[in-house]
PDB file of all heavy atoms in Angstrom:
ATOM      1  N   TRP A 177      66.351 407.108 220.367  1.00  0.00           N
ATOM      2  CA  TRP A 177      67.792 407.313 220.429  1.00  0.00           C
ATOM      3  C   TRP A 177      68.489 406.198 221.205  1.00  0.00           C
ATOM      4  O   TRP A 177      67.961 405.696 222.189  1.00  0.00           O
ATOM      5  CB  TRP A 177      68.119 408.639 221.099  1.00  0.00           C
ATOM      6  CG  TRP A 177      67.799 409.845 220.281  1.00  0.00           C
ATOM      7  CD1 TRP A 177      66.643 410.575 220.285  1.00  0.00           C
ATOM      8  CD2 TRP A 177      68.658 410.468 219.321  1.00  0.00           C
ATOM      9  NE1 TRP A 177      66.710 411.605 219.403  1.00  0.00           N
ATOM     10  CE2 TRP A 177      67.947 411.583 218.785  1.00  0.00           C
ATOM     11  CE3 TRP A 177      69.947 410.212 218.864  1.00  0.00           C
ATOM     12  CZ2 TRP A 177      68.486 412.418 217.827  1.00  0.00           C
ATOM     13  CZ3 TRP A 177      70.491 411.053 217.902  1.00  0.00           C
ATOM     14  CH2 TRP A 177      69.768 412.126 217.395  1.00  0.00           C
ATOM     15  N   VAL A 178      69.699 405.848 220.761  1.00  0.00           N
ATOM     16  CA  VAL A 178      70.609 405.014 221.534  1.00  0.00           C
ATOM     17  C   VAL A 178      71.946 405.741 221.566  1.00  0.00           C
ATOM     18  O   VAL A 178      72.573 405.963 220.516  1.00  0.00           O
ATOM     19  CB  VAL A 178      70.792 403.612 220.929  1.00  0.00           C
ATOM     20  CG1 VAL A 178      71.777 402.810 221.776  1.00  0.00           C
ATOM     21  CG2 VAL A 178      69.462 402.876 220.832  1.00  0.00           C
ATOM     22  N   LEU A 179      72.390 406.141 222.758  1.00  0.00           N
ATOM     23  CA  LEU A 179      73.639 406.878 222.934  1.00  0.00           C
ATOM     24  C   LEU A 179      74.636 406.012 223.684  1.00  0.00           C
ATOM     25  O   LEU A 179      74.257 405.228 224.564  1.00  0.00           O
ATOM     26  CB  LEU A 179      73.391 408.171 223.707  1.00  0.00           C
ATOM     27  CG  LEU A 179      72.276 409.086 223.197  1.00  0.00           C
ATOM     28  CD1 LEU A 179      72.118 410.289 224.117  1.00  0.00           C
ATOM     29  CD2 LEU A 179      72.546 409.528 221.766  1.00  0.00           C
ATOM     30  N   SER A 180      75.915 406.152 223.354  1.00  0.00           N
ATOM     31  CA  SER A 180      76.935 405.381 224.049  1.00  0.00           C
ATOM     32  C   SER A 180      78.228 406.171 224.121  1.00  0.00           C
ATOM     33  O   SER A 180      78.500 407.034 223.274  1.00  0.00           O
ATOM     34  CB  SER A 180      77.192 404.043 223.348  1.00  0.00           C
ATOM     35  OG  SER A 180      77.920 404.225 222.145  1.00  0.00           O
ATOM     36  N   ALA A 181      79.040 405.858 225.128  1.00  0.00           N
ATOM     37  CA  ALA A 181      80.358 406.462 225.268  1.00  0.00           C
ATOM     38  C   ALA A 181      81.182 405.593 226.211  1.00  0.00           C
ATOM     39  O   ALA A 181      80.637 404.962 227.118  1.00  0.00           O
ATOM     40  CB  ALA A 181      80.268 407.889 225.798  1.00  0.00           C
ATOM     41  N   GLY A 182      82.500 405.567 225.976  1.00  0.00           N
ATOM     42  CA  GLY A 182      83.342 404.798 226.868  1.00  0.00           C
ATOM     43  C   GLY A 182      84.801 404.776 226.458  1.00  0.00           C
ATOM     44  O   GLY A 182      85.151 405.163 225.334  1.00  0.00           O
ATOM     45  N   PRO A 183      85.664 404.314 227.367  1.00  0.00           N
ATOM     46  CA  PRO A 183      87.111 404.284 227.106  1.00  0.00           C
ATOM     47  C   PRO A 183      87.503 403.101 226.229  1.00  0.00           C
ATOM     48  O   PRO A 183      86.782 402.106 226.128  1.00  0.00           O
ATOM     49  CB  PRO A 183      87.704 404.149 228.510  1.00  0.00           C
ATOM     50  CG  PRO A 183      86.651 403.377 229.264  1.00  0.00           C
ATOM     51  CD  PRO A 183      85.333 403.865 228.724  1.00  0.00           C
ATOM     52  N   ARG A 184      88.681 403.227 225.609  1.00  0.00           N
ATOM     53  CA  ARG A 184      89.240 402.196 224.756  1.00  0.00           C
ATOM     54  C   ARG A 184      90.725 402.020 225.076  1.00  0.00           C
ATOM     55  O   ARG A 184      91.401 402.957 225.494  1.00  0.00           O
ATOM     56  CB  ARG A 184      89.109 402.569 223.270  1.00  0.00           C
ATOM     57  CG  ARG A 184      87.683 402.649 222.768  1.00  0.00           C
ATOM     58  CD  ARG A 184      87.051 401.263 222.758  1.00  0.00           C
ATOM     59  NE  ARG A 184      85.750 401.245 222.127  1.00  0.00           N
ATOM     60  CZ  ARG A 184      84.600 401.451 222.757  1.00  0.00           C
ATOM     61  NH1 ARG A 184      84.603 401.750 224.050  1.00  0.00           N
ATOM     62  NH2 ARG A 184      83.461 401.372 222.107  1.00  0.00           N
ATOM     63  N   LEU A 185      91.213 400.798 224.865  1.00  0.00           N
ATOM     64  CA  LEU A 185      92.635 400.524 224.988  1.00  0.00           C
ATOM     65  C   LEU A 185      93.015 399.496 223.940  1.00  0.00           C
ATOM     66  O   LEU A 185      92.496 398.375 223.939  1.00  0.00           O
ATOM     67  CB  LEU A 185      92.985 399.995 226.387  1.00  0.00           C
ATOM     68  CG  LEU A 185      94.475 399.699 226.619  1.00  0.00           C
ATOM     69  CD1 LEU A 185      95.299 400.985 226.491  1.00  0.00           C
ATOM     70  CD2 LEU A 185      94.692 399.060 227.988  1.00  0.00           C
ATOM     71  N   SER A 186      93.898 399.897 223.020  1.00  0.00           N
ATOM     72  CA  SER A 186      94.392 398.987 221.987  1.00  0.00           C
ATOM     73  C   SER A 186      95.797 398.538 222.353  1.00  0.00           C
ATOM     74  O   SER A 186      96.610 399.335 222.851  1.00  0.00           O
ATOM     75  CB  SER A 186      94.411 399.672 220.614  1.00  0.00           C
ATOM     76  OG  SER A 186      93.103 399.991 220.193  1.00  0.00           O
ATOM     77  N   TRP A 187      96.115 397.258 222.078  1.00  0.00           N
ATOM     78  CA  TRP A 187      97.424 396.686 222.400  1.00  0.00           C
ATOM     79  C   TRP A 187      97.887 395.837 221.234  1.00  0.00           C
ATOM     80  O   TRP A 187      97.073 395.281 220.480  1.00  0.00           O
ATOM     81  CB  TRP A 187      97.320 395.807 223.652  1.00  0.00           C
ATOM     82  CG  TRP A 187      98.553 394.972 223.889  1.00  0.00           C
ATOM     83  CD1 TRP A 187      99.660 395.319 224.603  1.00  0.00           C
ATOM     84  CD2 TRP A 187      98.801 393.649 223.379  1.00  0.00           C
ATOM     85  NE1 TRP A 187     100.580 394.308 224.568  1.00  0.00           N
ATOM     86  CE2 TRP A 187     100.080 393.277 223.824  1.00  0.00           C
ATOM     87  CE3 TRP A 187      98.068 392.770 222.586  1.00  0.00           C
ATOM     88  CZ2 TRP A 187     100.643 392.041 223.508  1.00  0.00           C
ATOM     89  CZ3 TRP A 187      98.624 391.536 222.257  1.00  0.00           C
ATOM     90  CH2 TRP A 187      99.897 391.187 222.724  1.00  0.00           C
ATOM     91  N   ALA A 188      99.207 395.750 221.047  1.00  0.00           N
ATOM     92  CA  ALA A 188      99.794 394.824 220.087  1.00  0.00           C
ATOM     93  C   ALA A 188     101.197 394.474 220.552  1.00  0.00           C
ATOM     94  O   ALA A 188     101.815 395.211 221.340  1.00  0.00           O
ATOM     95  CB  ALA A 188      99.822 395.433 218.687  1.00  0.00           C
ATOM     96  N   ASP A 189     101.714 393.346 220.058  1.00  0.00           N
ATOM     97  CA  ASP A 189     103.033 392.908 220.510  1.00  0.00           C
ATOM     98  C   ASP A 189     104.147 393.695 219.822  1.00  0.00           C
ATOM     99  O   ASP A 189     103.905 394.566 218.990  1.00  0.00           O
ATOM    100  CB  ASP A 189     103.204 391.395 220.326  1.00  0.00           C
ATOM    101  CG  ASP A 189     103.143 390.960 218.862  1.00  0.00           C
ATOM    102  OD1 ASP A 189     103.404 391.793 217.974  1.00  0.00           O
ATOM    103  OD2 ASP A 189     102.842 389.769 218.612  1.00  0.00           O
ATOM    104  N   ASP A 190     105.412 393.375 220.181  1.00  0.00           N
ATOM    105  CA  ASP A 190     106.534 394.158 219.679  1.00  0.00           C
ATOM    106  C   ASP A 190     106.734 394.009 218.176  1.00  0.00           C
ATOM    107  O   ASP A 190     107.266 394.915 217.523  1.00  0.00           O
ATOM    108  CB  ASP A 190     107.815 393.790 220.431  1.00  0.00           C
ATOM    109  CG  ASP A 190     108.149 392.303 220.357  1.00  0.00           C
ATOM    110  OD1 ASP A 190     107.309 391.513 219.884  1.00  0.00           O
ATOM    111  OD2 ASP A 190     109.259 391.933 220.780  1.00  0.00           O
ATOM    112  N   ARG A 191     106.305 392.888 217.591  1.00  0.00           N
ATOM    113  CA  ARG A 191     106.423 392.737 216.145  1.00  0.00           C
ATOM    114  C   ARG A 191     105.542 393.757 215.416  1.00  0.00           C
ATOM    115  O   ARG A 191     105.915 394.271 214.359  1.00  0.00           O
ATOM    116  CB  ARG A 191     106.064 391.312 215.717  1.00  0.00           C
ATOM    117  CG  ARG A 191     107.154 390.308 216.017  1.00  0.00           C
ATOM    118  CD  ARG A 191     106.829 388.951 215.440  1.00  0.00           C
ATOM    119  NE  ARG A 191     105.715 388.325 216.133  1.00  0.00           N
ATOM    120  CZ  ARG A 191     105.276 387.092 215.877  1.00  0.00           C
ATOM    121  NH1 ARG A 191     105.837 386.378 214.913  1.00  0.00           N
ATOM    122  NH2 ARG A 191     104.279 386.576 216.560  1.00  0.00           N
TER     123      ARG A 191
END
Side-chain angles (χ1 to χ4, degrees):
W177 288 92
V178 179
L179 309 177
S180 74
R184 295 292 188 270
L185 181 63
S186 295
W187 169 89
D189 63 23
D190 57 350
R191 284 187 291 184

